[in-house]
Amino acid sequence: MTKSIVTPRGQKPNRISAGRIILYSVLVVAAVYYLLPLYVMVATSLKDLDQVREGNIFAIPLRASFDAWVKAWDTACTGLYCEGLKVGFWKSVQITVPSVLASIAIASVNGYALSYWRFRGSEVFFTILIIGSFIPYQVMLYPLVIITREMGIFGTLPGVIFIHSIFGMPILTLLFRNYFAALPVELFKAARVDGAGFWGIFFQIMLPMSIPILVVAVILQVTGIWNDFLFGVIFAGTKNWPMTVQLNNIVNTTQGVKEHNVNMAATILTGLVPLTIYFVSGRYFVRGIAAGAVKG
Amino acid sequence: MTTAKQRRWWHGLFRNLNAKIAAIPMIFATMVIFVGCSLWTILYSFTKSKLLPVKLFTPPVEFQFPISLFNRSEDGWFTWVGFAYQWNGFEKLIVTKNFVGLAQYDRLLDATRNARWADSVENILFYGVFSLTFSFTVGFILAALIDQKVRFENAFRSIYLYPFALSFVVTGVVWQWMLSPDGIQDAINQFGAWAHIGFLETLPFKLMASGDTVIFALLLAGLWQGTGFTMVLMLAGMRGIDGEIWKAARVDGIPKWKTYIFVVIPMMRGVFITTLVIAASGIVRLYDLVVVLTAGGPGFASEVPAKYVYDYMFARSNLGQALAASSMMLLTVVIILIPWMYLEYGRKKQR
């Protein structure tokens, strides 16, 4: 950008053509469409209830305050309790952190084994794993209820962590397998000659080299698990419902007046974690979501 | 001959043992979860299994004797679901008591008696076709525009993609508010009154109020959330194309839009197919958005298969019916996947 400021303006008169203007207007219009809900969310959450009742959702908040945010966090009612979103937030943290750690630990070792220590049938399992990621969750839902119940973890935090670890496996294994496969194989061979074994090579050579892909995996999993609704509702149990489920309960609760400013504040609070991750680490985020598509 | 083979097989079992230990979770996930659970679902879709939602969430008391299963408990019928390892009861369930053949599918697919499933399928088909067409077209156009060496490329791309980082729950809540009568409609009407434009004052824009338009509410929200993803994949595909193509097209005097349609699109076939498969299998399992945005309403106007399964499984305690419906979902995904795998396999063979 600094470069374009330095270059003289008269140099490229043909750059600002009619086509260029149309191009930028289309891009800007599209950007406005995409930003509008975010604006409505933020603006509504800052309004007081009187202004919300006046209508016109696009109006700028007149008496901006964070009261609705405080209420959404602390005292908003989910139908049964009036403890706000903070309960769901901490449950989401309790679900997300172990799920992310477990699924990445499993998938990184697995991807490493699949790229350097293939055994008979390993590729078959991997293929089934990738195909399995396309199976609708509904197909496996009830058997999983039975499995987790028999394990004694249905309706608990370990239960939902178990489920997330399983369903995170396909994409993460693919991610790590492709990453390790792209590393120079001489590295592995040299370590073998030096007498390092399976775990030695993994912990001393592969893991220190896989920081970028670990970041991608963490971002992918944190956003994915934080945004989950279905597994949380079924496997976590009513006491452990994550933030997304609580948000739905707050917004779609039938009792009382609809406080749209509180609802929107709750929505922002729920979206804040993935949004922050997204804006802080845009490039890694894109790499994560594209990983499944680029090499299927 | 057989002994030699057996010995070799046995010998190989412990070779590379660490890798096999590392692969245990994967083997468990593929064999037990993906294959096992799917087979279980298909198998039990041929039964008239029911369940009591209350019993489900607490360890059942009727755990001891298979015989008690078919007795009326104080809560109503409790059938023998999920105790497959007690082979005694399992056999009974399949062979005698509960096996009903294709009756569940019969009930499911009979459009006159079960309009809800027919509506669900119709809705998801409409949603799928419309949303794929739209997100592919818009995603491609946006990607092509961003590819024109625009300034602030990163800013534009971030703006188009950020909804994808948000959950369907958040998406649903925001759009529910915007599409309610107090939302965009009210803003338009107030603007009409302020600017004295008659028709704007009364312009109706409440997609969710009528069963005919509610699907567009789902589409509006779903596309807002997902188009950025398509765009990013298309952009990645475009960036992967050899830059020489552009020079060649320029030398030949072919206009840019023609190059995109006749050269770039055919070259991006792989990206299109992969995006299609990912997007389509995402559409089949569409659930969160519907629950949050419309709850399937008004009436059953925005029901989708995934919600049908969930409702019959957990709210209506009609497991057999739910499993038949989920088997149909599986079949749909298989139909989507097989041509893709065929193409992928064919391409790999060519190399």
Side-chain angles (χ1 to χ4, degrees):
Chain A
M1 246 170 22
T2 41
K3 219 175 186 181
S4 60
I5 292 165
V6 171
T7 38
R9 281 192 170 192
Q11 199 116 77
K12 306 167 191 166
N14 57 335
R15 279 291 286 256
I16 308 160
S17 60
R20 252 0 226 185
I21 292 169
I22 294 171
L23 171 75
Y24 279 105
S25 3
V26 172
L27 286 175
V28 168
V29 168
V32 168
Y33 168 74
Y34 279 101
L35 284 174
L36 211 54
L38 187 65
Y39 168 74
V40 168
M41 249 191 280
V42 176
T44 310
S45 74
L46 294 176
K47 291 174 186 173
D48 54 23
L49 208 52
D50 290 333
Q51 201 195 345
V52 173
R53 286 211 192 87
E54 284 166 22
N56 196 359
I57 51 168
F58 300 121
I60 295 162
L62 295 174
R63 301 167 288 272
S65 78
F66 281 96
D67 292 351
W69 290 52
V70 174
K71 188 170 182 194
W73 176 258
D74 226 24
T75 55
C77 296
T78 58
L80 286 170
Y81 314 99
C82 290
E83 291 171 342
L85 268 178
K86 60 177 190 290
V87 188
F89 176 84
W90 289 115
K91 289 300 173 189
S92 273
V93 172
Q94 280 172 293
I95 292 169
T96 305
V97 172
S99 304
V100 170
L101 292 179
S103 57
I104 289 178
I106 293 169
S108 57
V109 179
N110 200 8
Y112 161 69
L114 283 169
S115 28
Y116 292 109
W117 300 84
R118 287 187 195 172
F119 51 91
R120 189 183 290 186
S122 63
E123 285 301 291
V124 177
F125 286 123
F126 179 67
T127 313
I128 301 175
L129 189 72
I130 298 303
I131 295 170
S133 68
F134 289 103
I135 301 175
Y137 298 137
Q138 277 74 15
V139 175
M140 295 166 280
L141 218 49
Y142 202 76
L144 281 171
V145 170
I146 296 167
I147 290 173
T148 48
R149 191 188 57 199
E150 294 308 307
M151 290 165 75
I153 54 172
F154 180 76
T156 63
L157 286 175
V160 73
I161 291 164
F162 172 75
I163 299 292
H164 280 306
S165 305
I166 285 173
F167 286 105
M169 232 185 269
I171 181 71
L172 290 184
T173 304
L174 181 76
L175 209 67
F176 280 103
R177 177 180 168 273
N178 288 351
Y179 184 81
F180 288 132
L183 293 178
V185 73
E186 284 73 24
L187 214 68
F188 173 76
K189 282 180 181 163
R192 285 292 283 157
V193 171
D194 288 346
F198 183 91
W199 298 106
I201 297 177
F202 178 72
F203 282 111
Q204 284 167 17
I205 295 168
M206 295 301 164
L207 215 51
M209 288 188 73
S210 46
I211 302 296
I213 204 68
L214 282 172
V215 174
V216 170
V218 167
I219 290 165
L220 192 71
Q221 281 299 86
V222 170
T223 46
I225 294 169
W226 192 274
N227 287 342
D228 160 70
F229 178 80
L230 184 67
F231 294 146
V233 129
I234 296 173
F235 293 98
T238 28
K239 276 183 291 179
N240 301 321
W241 273 343
M243 211 173 181
T244 46
V245 180
Q246 284 219 321
L247 170 68
N248 184 40
N249 290 349
I250 287 177
V251 173
N252 287 328
T253 184
T254 40
Q255 31 181 249
V257 204
K258 281 230 167 194
E259 293 179 285
H260 285 295
N261 54 350
V262 177
N263 289 353
M264 286 303 116
T267 313
I268 297 174
L269 286 170
T270 311
L272 214 52
V273 169
L275 264 191
T276 312
I277 290 175
Y278 171 74
F279 281 115
V280 169
S281 66
R283 199 163 281 273
Y284 285 106
F285 181 85
V286 172
R287 239 180 107 182
I289 60 164
V294 172
K295 224 179 175 191
Chain B
M1 200 181 80
T2 44
T3 47
K5 225 175 195 175
Q6 266 173 0
R7 202 179 300 143
R8 208 182 305 150
W9 175 82
W10 189 246
H11 182 72
L13 195 66
F14 290 103
R15 269 188 58 224
N16 201 357
L17 188 63
N18 276 322
K20 283 170 187 167
I21 291 170
I24 285 173
M26 175 179 74
I27 295 169
F28 171 78
T30 52
M31 293 293 110
V32 178
I33 310 294
F34 293 151
V35 176
C37 290
S38 302
L39 289 178
W40 190 95
T41 293
I42 295 168
L43 186 67
Y44 274 70
S45 70
F46 300 118
T47 68
K48 59 173 172 125
S49 309
K50 295 195 183 300
L51 62 96
L52 286 168
V54 188
K55 285 275 186 263
L56 175 74
F57 295 94
T58 51
V61 198
E62 304 90 318
F63 208 59
Q64 306 90 341
F65 303 107
I67 216 81
S68 70
L69 297 175
F70 306 111
N71 292 343
R72 221 180 202 323
S73 68
E74 75 251 73
D75 300 74
W77 285 106
F78 184 85
T79 27
W80 209 210
V81 175
F83 301 90
Y85 59 87
Q86 295 202 357
W87 290 103
N88 200 359
F90 181 67
E91 218 167 85
K92 252 186 187 163
L93 165 78
I94 296 300
V95 182
T96 57
K97 274 283 183 184
N98 265 347
F99 187 71
V100 291
L102 291 170
Q104 294 288 6
Y105 292 90
D106 216 29
R107 221 192 115 198
L108 182 74
L109 301 173
D110 186 350
T112 49
R113 276 197 302 160
N114 189 1
R116 187 175 163 188
W117 176 256
D119 287 349
S120 302
V121 172
E122 199 184 308
N123 283 340
I124 206 70
L125 273 178
F126 185 85
Y127 180 93
V129 169
F130 201 100
S131 113
L132 284 176
T133 316
F134 193 86
S135 72
F136 267 63
T137 318
V138 173
F140 185 84
I141 291 172
L142 284 180
L145 292 179
I146 285 188
D147 203 27
Q148 305 305 310
K149 300 185 179 66
V150 294
R151 274 191 207 184
F152 314 120
E153 181 197 311
N154 278 335
F156 280 120
R157 213 182 41 197
S158 304
I159 289 171
Y160 301 151
L161 188 61
Y162 88 89
F164 192 71
L166 294 169
S167 58
F168 269 138
V169 179
V170 167
T171 308
V173 172
V174 177
W175 282 94
Q176 190 192 50
W177 164 225
M178 287 177 61
L179 295 174
S180 72
D182 298 331
I184 296 177
Q185 178 185 263
D186 184 65
I188 294 174
N189 293 353
Q190 285 195 13
F191 175 77
W194 174 78
H196 299 291
I197 306 172
F199 81 100
L200 281 184
E201 277 179 63
T202 52
L203 185 83
F205 190 77
K206 36 184 179 185
L207 296 175
M208 295 198 302
S210 149
D212 298 328
T213 53
V214 69
I215 196 85
F216 291 102
L218 285 179
L219 277 165
L220 210 55
L223 286 170
W224 176 76
Q225 201 258 359
T227 312
F229 175 63
T230 322
M231 182 213 64
V232 163
L233 295 188
M234 304 259 169
L235 194 59
M238 280 175 198
R239 295 275 154 90
I241 286 174
D242 192 355
E244 296 296 312
I245 298 288
W246 289 108
K247 285 181 192 160
R250 226 166 156 188
V251 169
D252 289 347
I254 303 167
K256 240 179 185 174
W257 63 271
K258 260 191 173 170
T259 319
Y260 268 110
I261 292 174
F262 295 108
V263 182
V264 173
I265 290 181
M267 286 181 82
M268 281 171 61
R269 211 195 73 188
V271 176
F272 279 124
I273 292 172
T274 325
T275 313
L276 181 72
V277 170
I278 293 174
S281 45
I283 288 168
V284 172
R285 58 169 79 140
L286 181 75
Y287 173 76
D288 310 4
L289 185 65
V290 180
V291 170
V292 177
L293 187 61
T294 69
F300 289 139
S302 59
E303 287 288 341
V304 288
K307 189 165 174 294
Y308 185 95
V309 172
Y310 184 91
D311 287 354
Y312 273 81
M313 206 176 267
F314 295 109
R316 294 199 172 193
S317 50
N318 191 343
L319 189 65
Q321 182 64 197
L323 295 179
S326 52
S327 299
M328 293 304 290
M329 289 174 70
L330 181 63
L331 187 70
T332 317
V333 171
V334 168
I335 291 171
I336 297 170
L337 278 181
I338 282 180
W340 174 63
M341 279 164 57
Y342 182 77
L343 282 169
E344 283 280 297
Y345 182 70
R347 228 187 301 155
K348 268 176 196 153
K349 227 178 168 184
Q350 273 173 15
R351 266 182 218 157

